[in-house]
Amino acid sequence: MTSTTCREAMREAIREAMLADDRVFLMGEDVGAYGGCFAVSKGLLDEFGPDRIRDTPLSESAFVGAGIGAAIAGLRPIVEIMTVNFSLLALDQILNNAATLRHMSGGQVGVPLVIRMTTGGGRQLAAQHSHSLEGWYGHIPGITVLVPATVDDFRGMLAPALADPDPVLIFEHALLYNAEGELSAGSIPPIDRAVVRRSGRDVTIVTYGGSLAKCLVAADQLAGRGIDAEVIDLRSLRPLDDATLLDSVARTHRAVVVDEGWRSGSISAEVSARITEHAFFDLDAPVLRVCCAEVPLPYAKHLEDAALPSVERVVAAVDEVVNVRA
Amino acid sequence: MTTVASPVPATLAPSDVELLRRMLLVRRFEERCAELYSASRIRGFLHLYIGEEAVAVGVGAALEDGDNVVATYREHGHALVRGVPAGAVMAEMFGKVEGCSRGRGGSMHLFSVDHRFYGGHGIVAGGLPVALGLALADRMRGVPRVTACFFGEGAVAEGEFHETMNLAALWTVPMLFCCENNLYAMGTALARSESDTDLTVKAASYGMPAWSVDGMDVIAVREATRRAALQARAGGGPVFLELRTYRFRAHSMYDPELYRSKDEVAVWRERDPIDAIARRLTGAALLDADALEALDAAAMEEVDAAVAFADAGTDEPLSDLTRHVYADRRGERGPEEERT
Ligand SMILES: Cc1ncc(C[n+]2csc(CCOP(=O)(O)OP(=O)(O)O)c2C)c(N)n1
């Protein structure tokens, strides 16, 4: 086992993909000379040169679209967008083209494109650099939405994403880049499967990405009080792995969904709806959600902390569902 | 400014009759589309290209089979010129599975990868970045292929146009920006949307050669495109072609044309590009009245056959509704995997 960070894990994944397949190239703002705005691609320009570590101007729509065209033409581009907020400038290309062309062309035009971007709050970057919009993207048929939370998934999700014949979006929570972990030997579970990160009998906590660590801490605290929480890492928001969720809820009879996105019309709402649709009679308590407060994320630390899901809020939600007497 | 008038050869060749044949086919095809729309056989949006045929035919004649084409929602002509069978185009508009996009696209979204025809884009300027990427792939692999991207002058106001122009020039990709300037974006005249109506200056500001061409003259369009393609193919980077043309019909089937006068339309109709090339061919003794009539009859026949083909088309079974959202995958989840 080797210790690494999520940043290094993703960099290694990119390196490996570029070495394995000369159709693969990385393109985005400051991925080359600058080394990547989160230093993910640091050093890759020297190794692979400016053609394949391709710096782009501030033209999100054009370079995402160029990635789509190059993918259609048979290359395997990895497009990096600095943060999810900036991806909105490329939403036309992502939704109207990448997600749509295969269907609209009757199956002729596939877009094997990978788009990586940073997501999430917690860095006091305020309301234009902190949001978690991956749930929105999960709304769109035609794409796959991955949300790695561990070094293994940062290391292992890129290769299957590149092998996918359709567009795959990878959302990397910025606070995870420095997170360290041991890389396991062997391959990761299929990318469309949720994974039980901690087994438990009393309640199912469903989460992903940047919230996983908080949920695991909460589960430890709860264990100290005799509450045995199961923690599920969704890993993919589209497709959603209903089977793993429902199997867990059938055993625990209680569920709390934890998501950094806003609550209304969100991925947490979707998860909750699926549980009530398919496991209503397994439930002993209403499904609760711990989400971002419904504000654009504020700058001040105490306000930002209060807005985001926290260990305390997760613990409180679990206490609430556990205290419902069946 | 880099505007250069394109040279027009003084003499026509016998093979130029083919240009007329193609323009007639596009014209007759679309006239039939309008009828079929009134008869409710074609639905959705239908944008006719009538009056602009010299552009698609002229550009198309200068391209090679291996080149790529990306077009807009006003693309019946471009698809036909590219060689997409008229029957497959008509069947698409009938919503039949035999359509070139299996009935998933309709009039606005014709695709045929076999003909390197990559749509059929309904978002104004949305096809430009995709065309850039197609061209970038060829640039990176050293393939001597050109990507021709058609768009209306209305797209020039979009950010995607400017982003793509800049990147195409910066990366010297083999791309032709074919701007079909028909003077109106729906009802918005160019002068009401652009602070500077000389479109070639915009290209010049990206360091890209830009030529204004009489888009009612199929020979001029072909010659300008040939030169542009030669340059792009040789690694000289993109070229911007302003093809000055005019749409004789309404923007779509729901347009009472309040924004322009009948007189203006009548003046442009006198410059009908089909009449123009027919006259020149006749003047050069390459065409006579009988030959013209025969060409027209052949075009009508092809259109009749296309309608018959579409009429005989089948509806895709509803069980296939969610197909083609993702690639059909063999294996555990079956071919009609639905990812939800
Ligand atoms: C992004 C976007 N905005 C608005 C529309 C609605 N719309 C469809 S066609 C059109 C006019 C476009 O004019 P132009 O680009 O000059 O092409 P033309 O229709 O004249 O061929 C508009 C506004 C659209 N399809 N896409």
Side-chain angles (χ1 to χ4, degrees):
Chain A
M1 301 242 270
T2 17
S3 183
T4 187
T5 61
C6 288
R7 172 186 294 109
E8 287 160 3
M10 180 54 79
R11 183 186 306 138
E12 245 342 269
I14 296 171
R15 268 195 83 233
E16 179 188 63
M18 304 249 321
L19 289 170
D21 184 347
D22 60 13
R23 297 173 306 169
V24 175
F25 68 104
L26 176 72
M27 161 164 74
E29 291 158 10
D30 283 317
V31 296
Y34 189 89
C37 63
F38 290 92
V40 171
S41 52
K42 203 167 151 200
L44 297 182
L45 175 65
D46 291 340
E47 189 171 354
F48 296 103
D51 218 35
R52 293 182 70 201
I53 302 295
R54 182 172 286 264
D55 276 322
T56 67
L58 294 147
S59 304
E60 286 79 7
S61 199
F63 70 74
V64 170
I68 293 168
I72 292 170
L75 298 182
R76 289 291 178 277
I78 304 169
V79 172
E80 176 176 308
I81 300 176
M82 284 184 168
T83 86
V84 66
N85 287 82
F86 312 154
S87 77
L88 302 183
L89 281 85
L91 203 48
D92 169 46
Q93 291 300 322
I94 297 172
L95 171 53
N96 288 320
N97 285 339
T100 305
L101 287 175
R102 180 184 293 282
H103 182 80
M104 210 164 70
S105 66
Q108 292 177 83
V109 179
V111 183
L113 170 69
V114 172
I115 304 176
R116 302 173 35 244
M117 65 185 99
T118 314
T119 187
R123 293 167 296 145
Q124 283 196 267
L125 294 182
Q128 293 180 338
H129 294 73
S130 304
H131 291 146
S132 289
L133 303 179
E134 54 276 6
W136 264 15
Y137 284 100
H139 184 60
I140 305 172
I143 61 177
T144 290
V145 176
L146 303 181
V147 282
T150 64
V151 287
D152 279 342
D153 278 346
F154 270 78
R155 180 68 180 80
M157 279 183 165
L158 183 67
L162 281 166
D164 198 294
D166 293 302
V168 178
L169 274 57
I170 304 179
F171 290 87
E172 302 166 14
H173 197 292
L175 287 184
L176 289 176
Y177 284 128
N178 287 331
E180 275 189 63
E182 302 289 322
L183 267 184
S184 348
S187 54
I188 58 166
I191 51 174
D192 55 0
R193 290 283 177 270
V195 162
V196 176
R197 297 290 181 197
R198 182 190 202 282
S199 312
R201 286 183 320 259
D202 298 330
V203 58
T204 300
I205 302 176
V206 183
T207 190
Y208 67 88
S211 300
L212 175 63
K214 292 175 190 174
C215 293
L216 290 170
V217 171
D220 281 345
Q221 289 185 9
L222 289 159
R225 290 198 277 113
I227 299 172
D228 190 15
E230 177 146 307
V231 178
I232 290 184
D233 174 4
L234 288 173
R235 301 175 72 240
S236 166
L237 302 187
R238 177 177 279 270
L240 265 180
D241 178 5
D242 290 351
T244 301
L245 287 179
L246 299 176
D247 174 68
S248 176
V249 172
R251 287 182 283 103
T252 64
H253 310 291
R254 293 174 161 84
V256 170
V257 190
V258 183
D259 166 26
E260 246 189 62
W262 294 298
R263 175 193 303 260
S264 303
S266 62
I267 193 73
S268 64
E270 179 64 31
V271 170
S272 170
R274 293 199 189 195
I275 294 172
T276 44
E277 273 168 6
H278 301 293
F280 185 78
F281 297 105
D282 288 329
L283 288 172
D284 285 343
V287 178
L288 289 192
R289 289 181 286 156
V290 179
C291 299
C292 185
E294 307 249 336
V295 295
L297 272 177
Y299 162 73
K301 178 151 179 30
H302 68 295
L303 294 177
E304 185 184 37
D305 286 348
L308 293 172
S310 61
V311 172
E312 295 70 36
R313 283 172 60 203
V314 175
V315 168
V318 169
D319 277 336
E320 199 176 327
V321 295
V322 168
N323 286 331
V324 173
R325 288 282 150 253
Chain B
M1 207 162 85
T2 49
T3 307
V4 185
S6 53
V8 177
T11 53
L12 298 179
S15 58
D16 291 340
V17 173
E18 172 64 11
L19 301 173
L20 173 61
R21 190 192 70 78
R22 291 183 183 189
M23 289 167 74
L24 273 171
L25 173 65
V26 174
R27 176 72 57 94
R28 298 300 177 226
F29 184 89
E30 288 206 309
E31 286 167 348
R32 185 67 66 85
C33 288
E35 286 169 24
L36 291 163
Y37 199 88
S38 304
S40 291
R41 301 300 312 277
I42 298 175
R43 296 281 79 193
F45 281 146
L46 180 72
H47 306 89
L48 300 179
Y49 196 55
I50 291 175
E52 307 187 41
E53 295 92 343
V55 174
V57 172
V59 172
L63 297 178
E64 295 178 6
D65 283 350
D67 290 338
N68 295 325
V69 172
V70 175
T72 70
Y73 45 84
R74 198 183 296 288
E75 88 288 32
H76 310 142
H78 308 73
L80 293 175
V81 166
R82 203 60 201 151
V84 183
V89 176
M90 192 61 86
E92 185 59 34
M93 290 193 252
F94 279 28
K96 300 298 180 185
V97 73
E98 290 81 4
C100 60
S101 303
R102 296 177 64 89
R104 305 287 173 134
S107 158
M108 294 194 288
H109 306 303
L110 306 174
F111 285 83
S112 180
V113 168
D114 286 348
H115 299 89
R116 307 195 76 86
F117 188 76
Y118 294 100
H121 292 261
I123 305 295
V124 170
L128 282 153
V130 175
L132 167 69
L134 290 169
L136 173 64
D138 293 325
R139 169 94 171 79
M140 290 177 73
R141 293 181 297 202
V143 177
R145 191 201 323 278
V146 165
T147 297
C149 183
F150 292 89
F151 53 96
E153 86 292 341
V156 170
E158 294 280 5
E160 288 191 311
F161 166 78
H162 292 276
E163 290 187 15
T164 305
M165 289 284 284
N166 179 52
L167 269 172
L170 186 72
W171 291 344
T172 55
V173 301
M175 176 168 170
L176 306 184
F177 289 81
C178 302
C179 178
E180 308 183 297
N181 182 3
N182 62 13
L183 301 176
Y184 294 91
M186 292 182 64
T188 303
L190 186 59
R192 293 204 297 118
S193 67
E194 286 298 309
S195 58
D196 184 343
T197 56
D198 181 347
L199 302 180
T200 59
V201 238
K202 300 177 201 295
S205 75
Y206 296 108
M208 193 186 299
W211 308 330
S212 278
V213 183
D214 179 359
M216 304 307 260
D217 177 348
V218 66
I219 303 287
V221 173
R222 183 189 62 191
E223 293 310 306
T225 309
R226 273 191 181 151
R227 261 179 63 197
L230 200 67
Q231 176 166 331
R233 208 182 300 281
V239 177
F240 179 91
L241 296 170
E242 185 204 357
L243 306 154
R244 299 189 171 185
T245 183
Y246 198 79
R247 141 168 85 63
F248 291 174
R249 299 279 188 116
H251 165 73
S252 70
M253 305 309 279
Y254 304 102
D255 166 17
E257 294 184 74
L258 302 173
Y259 48 85
R260 61 184 188 182
S261 70
K262 292 207 162 56
D263 290 349
E264 180 185 303
V265 180
V267 169
W268 276 94
R269 276 185 184 274
E270 279 167 25
R271 300 191 48 210
D272 189 311
I274 295 182
D275 295 346
I277 186 64
R279 264 199 311 273
R280 282 184 62 186
L281 287 165
T282 310
L286 296 169
L287 184 80
D288 60 21
D290 287 349
L292 178 59
E293 205 169 295
L295 278 180
D296 205 14
M300 299 280 213
E301 233 168 79
E302 194 169 341
V303 173
D304 285 341
V307 176
F309 177 83
D311 260 331
T314 43
D315 291 340
E316 198 171 5
L318 285 182
S319 56
D320 275 359
L321 175 64
T322 58
R323 254 190 95 186
H324 304 307
V325 177
Y326 298 93
D328 289 345
R329 278 157 234 234
R330 272 163 217 108
E332 43 185 309
R333 297 214 265 169
E336 260 91 75
E337 170 194 24
E338 179 190 0
R339 290 196 194 181
T340 52

